């Protein structure tokens, strides 16, 4: 079972808007939510699910709002939370900022969206691109000519409309990896992981089926491609867009899908790996920014750098060393000189870690590769897939003490 009702409350717990989907839980029960939340918070026992008698409150906070779903049954909690987060995503795409004011200014549209997002307590149409085809912000009512619900709402493919046409059929694939790294003062790696996403920009006519091939280790082992020159990666915590046929992936690791139109995130993954500081000499890191913390009472800064530029940012208590282009295999040096009125103050403050930002185009740390992208459409047109690889810094910190 899913939600009985959904409420959007202000920061004090007052309902701004609500939708009763099943009628099996009295709407007045929401009055118990905020006192229960405050009580649990004071007790240090706050949880995402709160109960009052037979009524369960499943809630999340966003900005200055609480989104709360009520149920009296043994609901599928993960489904309810997924719905609440999807609701936030849809509202953000409609109103840019989701806060109390945007709810008050758009009551009619919010009600219309709540009616379409869920039906009798079960998630229905949650793709904002499809919703925007027939729920618009131009007027308080459905516009004439757009009041007909598009076939996607009743289709199995609810994320893509029929009849899409392009003169030039193309797919742009971005493989983006963020490196999270934490190194202690001795040079030992405390945390090292890669978080990757594959994003698509789709300009394809009709209802194409796409098949994406990666150098996935499990796939290589299934098909006998492992070993030799065939380098593969072992993906962890893989999450897919709803368009991917999960049963197909589970069976033979094929990533097969009918894509939404335009931009979307196809999948994300994670790899726990020992990071290596050396990247290939032909690779270049762009926009490198090294933030070196200094004591808050430092004065009279002077810098000397072998490349790039350095500046003192007193409001952040850091020296920022900026290097536009940092080729692989190179080593650069910065010298900084400060006056320090108090040596004791540094010991009291401690030493924050050095932070590093960068972006490396045409390169992935994991070695993931797009081996192929097959595009199959009944009209048989030819389409061009374009692939781009980018590695960037995530939470990248080097401790100094």
């Amino acid at each position: 079972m899913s939600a009985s009702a959904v409420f959007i409350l202000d920061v004090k717990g007052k309902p701004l808007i609500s939708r009763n989907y099943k009628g099996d839980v009295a709407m007045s029960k929401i009055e118990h939510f905020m006192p229960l939340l405050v009580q649990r918070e004071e007790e240090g026992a706050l949880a995402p699910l709160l109960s009052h008698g037979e009524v369960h409150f499943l809630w999340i906070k966003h900005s200055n709002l609480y989104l709360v779903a009520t149920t009296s049954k043994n609901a599928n909690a993960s489904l309810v939370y997924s719905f609440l987060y999807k609701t936030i995503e849809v509202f953000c795409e409609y109103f840019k900022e989701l806060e109390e004011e945007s709810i008050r200014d758009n009551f009619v549209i919010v009600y219309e969206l709540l009616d379409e997002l869920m039906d009798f307590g079960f998630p229905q149409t949650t793709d904002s691109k499809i919703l925007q085809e027939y729920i618009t912000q131009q007027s308080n009512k459905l516009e004439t000519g757009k009041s007909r619900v598009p076939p996607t709402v009743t289709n199995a493919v609810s994320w893509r409309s029929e009849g899409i046409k392009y003169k030039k059929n193309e797919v742009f694939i971005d493989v983006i990896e963020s490196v999270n790294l934490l190194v202690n003062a001795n040079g030992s790696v405390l945390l090292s992981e890669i978080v990757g996403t594959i994003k698509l920009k789709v300009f394809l006519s009709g209802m194409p089926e796409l098949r994406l091939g990666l150098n996935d280790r499990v796939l290589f082992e299934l098909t006998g491609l492992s070993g030799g020159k065939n380098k593969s990666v072992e993906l962890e915590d893989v999450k897919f867009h709803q368009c991917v046929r999960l049963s197909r992936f589970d069976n033979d690791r094929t990533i097969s899908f009918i894509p939404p139109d335009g931009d979307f995130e196809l999948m994300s993954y994670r790899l726990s790996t020992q990071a290596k500081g050396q990247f290939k000499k032909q690779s270049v890191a762009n926009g490198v920014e090294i933030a070196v913390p200094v004591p808050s009472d430092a004065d009279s800064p002077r810098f000397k750098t072998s490349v790039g530029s350095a500046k003192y940012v007193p409001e952040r208590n850091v020296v920022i060393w900026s290097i536009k282009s940092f080729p692989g295999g190179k080593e650069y040096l910065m010298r900084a000189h400060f006056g320090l009125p108090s040596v004791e103050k540094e010991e009291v403050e401690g030493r924050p870690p050095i932070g590093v930002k960068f972006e490396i185009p045409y390169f992935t740390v994991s070695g993931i590769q797009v081996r192929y992208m097959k595009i199959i459409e009944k009209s048989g047109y030819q389409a061009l897939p374009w692939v781009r690889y980018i590695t960037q810094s995530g939470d990248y910190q080097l401790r100094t003490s």
Side-chain angles (χ1 to χ4, degrees):
M1 302 295 288
S2 194
S4 174
V6 170
F7 297 82
I8 301 177
L9 314 178
D10 67 15
V11 75
K12 294 180 180 177
K14 181 183 175 184
L16 296 172
I17 202 164
S18 60
R19 181 66 174 86
N20 190 353
Y21 291 106
K22 298 177 71 175
D24 59 343
V25 175
M27 298 295 277
S28 60
K29 296 289 184 182
I30 195 65
E31 295 170 5
H32 300 293
F33 171 73
M34 188 52 71
L36 195 59
L37 184 83
V38 172
Q39 179 191 336
R40 290 293 177 84
E41 199 165 21
E42 289 173 351
E43 294 171 352
L46 194 57
L49 190 151
L50 303 173
S51 299
H52 183 272
E54 294 184 354
V55 180
H56 307 294
F57 301 102
L58 295 89
W59 65 279
I60 57 176
K61 189 178 182 184
H62 179 86
S63 185
N64 57 354
L65 300 172
Y66 290 96
L67 274 76
V68 186
T70 58
T71 178
S72 62
K73 308 290 184 184
N74 186 18
N76 182 336
S78 61
L79 179 66
V80 175
Y81 286 119
S82 178
F83 171 79
L84 292 176
Y85 280 109
K86 192 67 183 177
T87 299
I88 287 172
E89 187 182 311
V90 169
F91 286 169
C92 285
E93 291 191 21
Y94 264 83
F95 313 131
K96 302 294 184 254
E97 297 287 337
L98 176 57
E99 54 192 11
E100 186 176 334
E101 286 302 307
S102 53
I103 296 295
R104 291 188 183 279
D105 292 344
N106 296 279
F107 269 132
V108 173
I109 295 168
V110 172
Y111 268 122
E112 288 178 353
L113 288 170
L114 288 173
D115 279 346
E116 296 300 329
L117 286 163
M118 186 172 273
D119 183 34
F120 196 65
F122 293 95
Q124 187 175 243
T125 309
T126 58
D127 192 294
S128 64
K129 287 180 183 175
I130 303 303
L131 288 165
Q132 284 169 9
E133 289 187 24
Y134 61 103
I135 295 180
T136 69
Q137 290 171 279
Q138 273 68 45
S139 66
N140 289 341
K141 294 181 180 179
L142 296 179
E143 287 186 346
T144 307
K146 289 196 176 183
S147 57
R148 180 181 62 83
V149 175
T152 47
V153 174
T154 52
N155 267 0
V157 186
S158 62
W159 52 86
R160 185 180 180 90
S161 299
E162 292 181 3
I164 295 171
K165 290 182 181 178
Y166 286 101
K167 287 183 178 178
K168 191 175 183 181
N169 292 288
E170 296 178 300
V171 180
F172 295 88
I173 307 164
D174 276 346
V175 182
I176 304 166
E177 291 190 342
S178 297
V179 183
N180 297 329
L181 183 71
L182 180 60
V183 178
N184 70 12
N186 300 324
S188 300
V189 176
L190 303 178
L191 168 71
S192 175
E193 68 173 7
I194 300 161
V195 179
T197 57
I198 296 181
K199 296 182 178 181
L200 267 62
K201 188 174 284 191
V202 177
F203 303 112
L204 296 175
S205 305
M207 276 286 181
E209 180 184 338
L210 275 57
R211 291 176 193 164
L212 179 69
L214 303 173
N215 57 334
D216 172 16
R217 185 163 298 165
V218 178
L219 173 64
F220 275 29
E221 288 170 357
L222 285 172
T223 54
L225 287 171
S226 55
K229 294 181 179 178
N230 296 317
K231 292 182 179 179
S232 60
V233 295
E234 190 167 350
L235 305 176
E236 302 169 23
D237 294 343
V238 181
K239 296 181 178 67
F240 288 112
H241 186 275
Q242 63 173 330
C243 67
V244 175
R245 296 186 176 97
L246 295 181
S247 57
R248 182 86 189 265
F249 181 76
D250 289 339
N251 286 337
D252 58 16
R253 303 292 282 194
T254 299
I255 302 172
S256 173
F257 56 99
I258 295 173
D261 189 43
D263 296 291
F264 74 102
E265 185 176 297
L266 176 69
M267 62 180 283
S268 64
Y269 58 89
R270 184 180 62 83
L271 294 101
S272 296
T273 179
Q274 283 297 313
K276 294 181 180 178
Q278 298 86 10
F279 55 95
K280 295 176 183 178
K281 289 187 177 180
Q282 61 264 37
S283 294
V284 176
N286 296 328
V288 177
E289 191 178 280
I290 302 162
V292 183
V294 297
S296 58
D297 58 347
D299 63 15
S300 307
R302 297 199 308 272
F303 311 105
K304 189 173 182 181
T305 61
S306 59
V307 70
S309 62
K311 67 176 181 179
Y312 176 43
V313 186
E315 62 270 20
R316 289 173 54 193
N317 296 321
V318 293
V319 175
I320 302 291
W321 183 15
S322 301
I323 304 169
K324 285 184 179 179
S325 181
F326 200 136
K330 292 287 185 181
E331 187 175 298
Y332 296 128
L333 183 68
M334 177 189 75
R335 293 184 187 276
H337 182 274
F338 289 90
L340 292 172
S342 170
V343 178
E344 293 177 4
K345 191 161 186 178
E346 184 182 355
E347 294 175 1
V348 174
E349 290 178 352
R351 293 184 192 171
I354 295 170
V356 184
K357 292 181 180 177
F358 58 84
E359 187 171 282
I360 309 170
Y362 320 114
F363 176 80
T364 57
V365 182
S366 69
I368 193 171
Q369 291 179 343
V370 174
R371 293 171 55 238
Y372 63 82
M373 168 67 86
K374 291 181 181 176
I375 302 165
I376 305 157
E377 213 277 331
K378 62 182 180 183
S379 63
Y381 59 72
Q382 295 296 308
L384 293 170
W386 304 90
V387 185
R388 181 171 61 172
Y389 299 96
I390 303 168
T391 288
Q392 58 194 18
S393 54
D395 187 8
Y396 202 98
Q397 297 185 355
L398 312 173
R399 288 182 179 170
T400 56
S401 62

